[in-house]
Amino acid sequence: QLQLVESGGGLVQPGGSLRLSCAASGFTLDYYAIAWFRQVPGKRREGVSCISVDGTMTTYIDSVKGRFTISRDDAKNTVYLQMNNLKPDDTAVYYCAADNTAQYSITYRCDFYGMDYWGKGTPVTVSS
């Protein structure tokens, strides 16, 4: 079964850190750009960060720049989102998604559209 599984969410105080993991099973992430999204109940899901197939491009929304870092370890078939200096506004369910951009010979770019696979999400709560 092809699936993405997120882990690493939880409750953290403002200023704290978490590292989210996105592990793939049933397929290899080697051909996929990966994006992290987040959603708060009642609000639209927003793209937070993405990384290209070859890892040369990373993108972040303005509100997380300088605090979040996306990385990939293809040997472990896993993508990470390191989140530092967390703020209450970061509270959300975080999802990872995979986009097979390599099928179009695009290995150097990522965005938040046209995802092929989605995980079920991991909740992050930032509160004192």
Side-chain angles (χ1 to χ4, degrees):
Q1 185 175 3
L2 307 180
Q3 59 180 353
L4 295 171
V5 179
E6 303 94 337
S7 61
L11 172 64
V12 63
Q13 292 186 343
S17 298
L18 286 174
R19 188 177 79 157
L20 304 184
S21 298
C22 172
S25 64
F27 67 106
T28 175
L29 290 181
D30 291 3
Y31 306 107
Y32 291 81
I34 304 298
W36 284 95
F37 295 79
R38 65 187 181 187
Q39 188 169 25
V40 176
K43 293 188 176 181
R44 293 182 64 181
R45 182 172 57 199
E46 66 173 350
V48 175
S49 180
C50 69
I51 186 167
S52 59
V53 168
D54 62 6
T56 60
M57 176 183 176
T58 57
T59 296
Y60 302 91
I61 56 172
D62 287 345
S63 61
V64 307
K65 283 180 181 177
R67 301 188 297 121
F68 289 12
T69 303
I70 190 170
S71 62
R72 63 189 302 153
D73 185 342
D74 289 341
K76 294 183 178 180
N77 218 24
T78 301
V79 173
Y80 304 97
L81 185 67
Q82 177 67 43
M83 307 188 296
N84 298 328
N85 190 22
L86 283 160
K87 303 176 180 181
D89 284 349
D90 296 319
T91 296
V93 178
Y94 283 72
Y95 301 87
C96 67
D99 180 7
N100 187 356
T101 61
Q103 67 179 323
Y104 306 110
S105 299
I106 298 174
T107 60
Y108 49 87
R109 196 171 71 208
C110 68
D111 58 32
F112 300 116
Y113 306 99
M115 298 296 144
D116 296 299
Y117 300 107
W118 289 85
K120 294 183 178 180
T122 184
V124 171
T125 302
V126 185
S127 174
S128 55

mmCIF file of all heavy atoms in Angstrom, residues 107-124:
data_model
loop_
_atom_site.group_PDB
_atom_site.id
_atom_site.type_symbol
_atom_site.label_atom_id
_atom_site.label_comp_id
_atom_site.label_asym_id
_atom_site.label_seq_id
_atom_site.Cartn_x
_atom_site.Cartn_y
_atom_site.Cartn_z
ATOM 1 N N THR A 107 13.457 17.922 -11.590
ATOM 2 C CA THR A 107 14.035 17.474 -10.323
ATOM 3 C C THR A 107 14.496 18.636 -9.452
ATOM 4 O O THR A 107 14.897 18.435 -8.321
ATOM 5 C CB THR A 107 15.239 16.554 -10.572
ATOM 6 O OG1 THR A 107 16.227 17.279 -11.315
ATOM 7 C CG2 THR A 107 14.822 15.310 -11.343
ATOM 8 N N TYR A 108 14.422 19.859 -9.989
ATOM 9 C CA TYR A 108 15.048 21.018 -9.360
ATOM 10 C C TYR A 108 14.040 22.035 -8.832
ATOM 11 O O TYR A 108 14.409 23.120 -8.400
ATOM 12 C CB TYR A 108 15.939 21.717 -10.396
ATOM 13 C CG TYR A 108 15.225 21.941 -11.705
ATOM 14 C CD1 TYR A 108 14.451 23.081 -11.911
ATOM 15 C CD2 TYR A 108 15.278 20.994 -12.714
ATOM 16 C CE1 TYR A 108 13.758 23.272 -13.094
ATOM 17 C CE2 TYR A 108 14.589 21.177 -13.897
ATOM 18 C CZ TYR A 108 13.837 22.312 -14.087
ATOM 19 O OH TYR A 108 13.146 22.492 -15.259
ATOM 20 N N ARG A 109 12.739 21.687 -8.853
ATOM 21 C CA ARG A 109 11.714 22.648 -8.482
ATOM 22 C C ARG A 109 10.651 21.988 -7.618
ATOM 23 O O ARG A 109 10.413 20.787 -7.734
ATOM 24 C CB ARG A 109 11.070 23.218 -9.739
ATOM 25 C CG ARG A 109 10.264 24.493 -9.503
ATOM 26 C CD ARG A 109 9.865 25.083 -10.834
ATOM 27 N NE ARG A 109 8.844 24.284 -11.487
ATOM 28 C CZ ARG A 109 8.676 24.222 -12.803
ATOM 29 N NH1 ARG A 109 9.478 24.902 -13.599
ATOM 30 N NH2 ARG A 109 7.717 23.500 -13.319
ATOM 31 N N CYS A 110 10.021 22.780 -6.786
ATOM 32 C CA CYS A 110 8.901 22.273 -5.996
ATOM 33 C C CYS A 110 7.859 23.370 -5.843
ATOM 34 O O CYS A 110 8.171 24.554 -5.996
ATOM 35 C CB CYS A 110 9.357 21.780 -4.618
ATOM 36 S SG CYS A 110 9.941 23.075 -3.496
ATOM 37 N N ASP A 111 6.635 22.964 -5.586
ATOM 38 C CA ASP A 111 5.574 23.919 -5.295
ATOM 39 C C ASP A 111 4.514 23.214 -4.460
ATOM 40 O O ASP A 111 4.757 22.129 -3.938
ATOM 41 C CB ASP A 111 4.987 24.516 -6.571
ATOM 42 C CG ASP A 111 4.429 23.471 -7.519
ATOM 43 O OD1 ASP A 111 3.926 22.436 -7.036
ATOM 44 O OD2 ASP A 111 4.526 23.673 -8.743
ATOM 45 N N PHE A 112 3.365 23.834 -4.302
ATOM 46 C CA PHE A 112 2.320 23.292 -3.435
ATOM 47 C C PHE A 112 1.112 22.796 -4.220
ATOM 48 O O PHE A 112 0.003 22.735 -3.676
ATOM 49 C CB PHE A 112 1.900 24.362 -2.418
ATOM 50 C CG PHE A 112 3.022 24.833 -1.536
ATOM 51 C CD1 PHE A 112 3.454 26.148 -1.578
ATOM 52 C CD2 PHE A 112 3.658 23.951 -0.674
ATOM 53 C CE1 PHE A 112 4.490 26.586 -0.766
ATOM 54 C CE2 PHE A 112 4.696 24.381 0.135
ATOM 55 C CZ PHE A 112 5.116 25.705 0.093
ATOM 56 N N TYR A 113 1.317 22.439 -5.488
ATOM 57 C CA TYR A 113 0.202 22.044 -6.319
ATOM 58 C C TYR A 113 0.408 20.664 -6.912
ATOM 59 O O TYR A 113 1.525 20.210 -7.091
ATOM 60 C CB TYR A 113 0.020 23.075 -7.451
ATOM 61 C CG TYR A 113 -0.104 24.488 -6.924
ATOM 62 C CD1 TYR A 113 0.985 25.344 -6.924
ATOM 63 C CD2 TYR A 113 -1.307 24.945 -6.386
ATOM 64 C CE1 TYR A 113 0.879 26.623 -6.416
ATOM 65 C CE2 TYR A 113 -1.418 26.223 -5.882
ATOM 66 C CZ TYR A 113 -0.315 27.062 -5.896
ATOM 67 O OH TYR A 113 -0.412 28.320 -5.379
ATOM 68 N N GLY A 114 -0.700 20.017 -7.228
ATOM 69 C CA GLY A 114 -0.638 18.759 -7.955
ATOM 70 C C GLY A 114 -0.050 17.598 -7.195
ATOM 71 O O GLY A 114 0.638 16.758 -7.777
ATOM 72 N N MET A 115 -0.327 17.509 -5.894
ATOM 73 C CA MET A 115 0.222 16.430 -5.081
ATOM 74 C C MET A 115 -0.407 15.080 -5.447
ATOM 75 O O MET A 115 -1.603 14.989 -5.698
ATOM 76 C CB MET A 115 -0.013 16.717 -3.603
ATOM 77 C CG MET A 115 0.681 17.989 -3.124
ATOM 78 S SD MET A 115 2.468 17.855 -3.238
ATOM 79 C CE MET A 115 2.903 19.509 -3.698
ATOM 80 N N ASP A 116 0.419 14.052 -5.447
ATOM 81 C CA ASP A 116 -0.050 12.711 -5.789
ATOM 82 C C ASP A 116 -0.448 11.890 -4.566
ATOM 83 O O ASP A 116 -1.357 11.056 -4.628
ATOM 84 C CB ASP A 116 1.045 11.961 -6.547
ATOM 85 C CG ASP A 116 1.376 12.606 -7.877
ATOM 86 O OD1 ASP A 116 0.467 12.685 -8.721
ATOM 87 O OD2 ASP A 116 2.530 13.033 -8.073
ATOM 88 N N TYR A 117 0.266 12.091 -3.461
ATOM 89 C CA TYR A 117 -0.011 11.333 -2.244
ATOM 90 C C TYR A 117 -0.009 12.285 -1.051
ATOM 91 O O TYR A 117 0.763 13.247 -1.020
ATOM 92 C CB TYR A 117 1.041 10.242 -2.014
ATOM 93 C CG TYR A 117 1.126 9.227 -3.111
ATOM 94 C CD1 TYR A 117 2.202 9.211 -3.992
ATOM 95 C CD2 TYR A 117 0.131 8.267 -3.280
ATOM 96 C CE1 TYR A 117 2.289 8.288 -5.002
ATOM 97 C CE2 TYR A 117 0.213 7.331 -4.300
ATOM 98 C CZ TYR A 117 1.286 7.354 -5.148
ATOM 99 O OH TYR A 117 1.366 6.431 -6.158
ATOM 100 N N TRP A 118 -0.864 11.950 -0.083
ATOM 101 C CA TRP A 118 -0.984 12.737 1.139
ATOM 102 C C TRP A 118 -0.900 11.833 2.353
ATOM 103 O O TRP A 118 -1.387 10.701 2.330
ATOM 104 C CB TRP A 118 -2.333 13.464 1.191
ATOM 105 C CG TRP A 118 -2.461 14.581 0.226
ATOM 106 C CD1 TRP A 118 -2.837 14.506 -1.076
ATOM 107 C CD2 TRP A 118 -2.227 15.963 0.487
ATOM 108 N NE1 TRP A 118 -2.840 15.744 -1.645
ATOM 109 C CE2 TRP A 118 -2.480 16.668 -0.707
ATOM 110 C CE3 TRP A 118 -1.843 16.694 1.612
ATOM 111 C CZ2 TRP A 118 -2.350 18.053 -0.801
ATOM 112 C CZ3 TRP A 118 -1.713 18.069 1.519
ATOM 113 C CH2 TRP A 118 -1.965 18.739 0.321
ATOM 114 N N GLY A 119 -0.311 12.353 3.414
ATOM 115 C CA GLY A 119 -0.382 11.670 4.692
ATOM 116 C C GLY A 119 -1.638 12.074 5.441
ATOM 117 O O GLY A 119 -2.400 12.945 4.981
ATOM 118 N N LYS A 120 -1.832 11.483 6.608
ATOM 119 C CA LYS A 120 -3.036 11.751 7.389
ATOM 120 C C LYS A 120 -2.841 12.862 8.408
ATOM 121 O O LYS A 120 -3.795 13.279 9.057
ATOM 122 C CB LYS A 120 -3.499 10.467 8.081
ATOM 123 C CG LYS A 120 -3.958 9.400 7.096
ATOM 124 C CD LYS A 120 -4.483 8.172 7.810
ATOM 125 C CE LYS A 120 -4.979 7.148 6.787
ATOM 126 N NZ LYS A 120 -5.509 5.923 7.441
ATOM 127 N N GLY A 121 -1.625 13.309 8.556
ATOM 128 C CA GLY A 121 -1.363 14.462 9.398
ATOM 129 C C GLY A 121 -0.883 14.123 10.801
ATOM 130 O O GLY A 121 -1.134 13.030 11.323
ATOM 131 N N THR A 122 -0.176 15.087 11.389
ATOM 132 C CA THR A 122 0.257 14.987 12.776
ATOM 133 C C THR A 122 -0.009 16.340 13.439
ATOM 134 O O THR A 122 0.324 17.388 12.878
ATOM 135 C CB THR A 122 1.746 14.599 12.880
ATOM 136 O OG1 THR A 122 2.105 14.418 14.249
ATOM 137 C CG2 THR A 122 2.673 15.634 12.260
ATOM 138 N N PRO A 123 -0.645 16.346 14.610
ATOM 139 C CA PRO A 123 -1.008 17.617 15.237
ATOM 140 C C PRO A 123 0.160 18.260 15.973
ATOM 141 O O PRO A 123 0.942 17.575 16.640
ATOM 142 C CB PRO A 123 -2.119 17.222 16.211
ATOM 143 C CG PRO A 123 -1.819 15.796 16.540
ATOM 144 C CD PRO A 123 -1.180 15.190 15.332
ATOM 145 N N VAL A 124 0.236 19.564 15.843
ATOM 146 C CA VAL A 124 1.227 20.361 16.570
ATOM 147 C C VAL A 124 0.479 21.428 17.359
ATOM 148 O O VAL A 124 -0.314 22.177 16.792
ATOM 149 C CB VAL A 124 2.225 21.021 15.594
ATOM 150 C CG1 VAL A 124 3.118 22.015 16.335
ATOM 151 C CG2 VAL A 124 3.063 19.968 14.892
#
